[in-house]
Amino acid sequence: MNTNRRPRTSQVAVKRLVLLNRYYRITRFYDFIRDTSVKGGIVIAVFVAILVGLEYFVLDFDVLLNQLVETYSPAVVFSTFFASETVLGLLPPEIFIAWASKADTPWLFLAVLASLSYLGGVVAYLAGNRLFLIPSVKDHIEMKIARHIVNLRKWGGLFVFIGAMLPLPHSIVSLACGLIKYSFRSYLLWALFRFVRFVIYAVILFQIF
């Protein structure tokens, strides 16, 4: 009996994978991943090129970052970052990761930044979840982020993963999750990849700065 069940279980798993692959092809998930990755790579390359250019011709970023560390307390910087990660992700996290590299305990500061980014997404989710109380605002935001909502409904947790890992505004993806009442538990699990992104970026930026 057990011997017969195992092949059937394997066949079912393979069929599911085939169907999932077909679904992702039909919904252009792979194209979206490719385009987002390419755009993200270009943005990062341009960002690094600008930094290197400014460093070489205009500014000494080591001095600038050290001045930021000396001028502004960690509480001010962390508060600014948390506000940004909660509201549309207005400021690039890379700037704050570079700032953390100049701290006495850079990896501790990085852990705080990653945690604040994660919590900022949670706040954005909860805000989106309660927007039904203000229908006019809810309708306006739904129109503004309609594309993200469509993608979230198509791909679920994988879209949250993309928002956490790739240069896609994490707070907007989180807001969209709240708006459509995507499973909070699933959101929390997929959003944990935000920590992975911060570690990857830190490994690179800590070497530069």
Side-chain angles (χ1 to χ4, degrees):
M1 294 292 292
N2 292 334
T3 305
N4 292 331
R5 286 179 181 177
R6 287 178 182 175
R8 290 180 182 177
T9 302
S10 299
Q11 289 175 1
V12 170
V14 170
K15 286 182 179 179
R16 286 180 177 175
L17 288 175
V18 170
L19 289 174
L20 278 174
N21 180 57
R22 183 180 178 186
Y23 174 76
Y24 290 138
R25 285 182 179 277
I26 292 173
T27 57
R28 303 180 67 83
F29 175 73
Y30 300 124
D31 292 339
F32 181 81
I33 286 284
R34 182 197 62 209
D35 294 343
T36 303
S37 299
V38 169
K39 290 178 182 177
I42 292 173
V43 169
I44 293 172
V46 170
F47 178 75
V48 172
I50 290 173
L51 288 182
V52 172
L54 290 174
E55 169 80 18
Y56 188 79
F57 294 106
V58 182
L59 298 172
D60 186 334
F61 274 98
D62 281 336
V63 173
L64 180 61
L65 290 172
N66 285 326
Q67 286 179 345
L68 287 175
V69 171
E70 294 172 1
T71 304
Y72 299 100
S73 69
V76 171
V77 178
F78 287 142
S79 298
T80 302
F81 178 68
F82 179 71
S84 173
E85 289 294 277
T86 303
V87 185
L88 304 181
L90 299 175
L91 300 174
E94 294 79 9
I95 295 175
F96 295 89
I97 295 174
W99 166 80
S101 70
K102 297 301 179 183
D104 293 333
T105 52
W107 288 102
L108 175 60
F109 274 39
L110 179 79
V112 174
L113 288 173
S115 299
L116 289 174
S117 179
Y118 182 80
L119 291 174
V122 172
V123 172
Y125 176 99
L126 296 175
N129 193 254
R130 305 303 294 176
L131 278 178
F132 72 90
L133 296 173
I134 314 174
S136 59
V137 176
K138 177 178 179 292
D139 293 341
H140 176 73
I141 292 179
E142 280 185 341
M143 289 179 59
K144 290 293 184 181
I145 63 173
R147 181 182 176 187
H148 295 301
I149 291 175
V150 170
N151 289 335
L152 179 60
R153 283 181 170 145
K154 286 192 295 186
W155 304 321
L158 286 178
F159 189 64
V160 182
F161 166 80
I162 293 171
M165 289 292 293
L166 298 179
L168 195 68
H170 178 59
S171 59
I172 293 180
V173 174
S174 301
L175 183 67
C177 287
L179 275 171
I180 69 169
K181 300 189 183 303
Y182 178 74
S183 167
F184 187 51
R185 181 179 179 183
S186 296
Y187 165 80
L188 291 176
L189 291 174
W190 283 105
L192 286 172
F193 281 97
R194 194 67 174 167
F195 289 91
V196 178
R197 178 185 175 181
F198 271 70
V199 171
I200 293 173
Y201 276 52
V203 169
I204 298 171
L205 292 176
F206 282 11
Q207 296 298 319
I208 297 175
F209 297 104

